[in-house]
Amino acid sequence: MSKVSFKERVILVDILAVIFGISSWVEVNGVWVETPILVQRLPEEWNLASFIVMITQLANIGPIVYSILKFKFTLKSVENPAIHVTLLIGAVSCLLLSLFWDRISLIN
């Protein structure tokens, strides 16, 4: 069994990071493509696009906070669970959105 060189590992990590970024991009664009269908059935109508933009921008706070904490402290023990939790939240969100996109829940 041959050893994987450091350079090969770096290239693999870079490729996986690109794939992760592309998957997030495809997910957000998938919602934008479906917007004309969603606005016909949801009470937000065309305000939905504004909500999507706000939520997408709000989601950028998590990686920023994580980066600041990682710079400030050594969070090696937190890195793996943080990655798994992020992937789990994304997968569950996509699943729930695909199953319940046409349901309405009124709060207050």
Side-chain angles (χ1 to χ4, degrees):
M1 192 168 183
S2 65
K3 287 188 172 183
V4 179
S5 70
F6 177 75
K7 184 177 179 181
E8 290 172 338
R9 273 189 258 156
V10 169
I11 291 171
L12 178 64
V13 168
D14 289 344
I15 290 170
L16 292 174
V18 168
I19 291 171
F20 181 73
I22 288 173
S23 68
S24 300
W25 178 77
V26 167
E27 179 182 343
V28 171
N29 283 331
V31 172
W32 281 110
V33 168
E34 298 296 329
T35 301
I37 296 170
L38 295 172
V39 297
Q40 294 174 5
R41 300 194 54 180
L42 297 177
E44 294 90 356
E45 296 177 341
W46 284 101
N47 290 331
L48 182 64
S50 300
F51 293 136
I52 292 172
V53 168
M54 289 174 51
I55 290 169
T56 303
Q57 294 304 318
L58 188 62
N60 291 326
I61 292 174
I64 291 170
V65 169
Y66 178 80
S67 298
I68 291 169
L69 289 176
K70 186 166 172 96
F71 179 74
K72 189 84 170 154
F73 308 104
T74 55
L75 298 175
K76 280 291 185 191
S77 62
V78 179
E79 192 169 299
N80 284 340
I83 291 170
H84 288 100
V85 166
T86 303
L87 291 173
L88 181 67
I89 289 172
V92 169
S93 299
C94 286
L95 177 68
L96 292 175
L97 183 61
S98 68
L99 295 174
F100 301 112
W101 71 271
D102 60 343
R103 305 260 171 90
I104 298 170
S105 296
L106 298 175
I107 301 173
N108 288 333

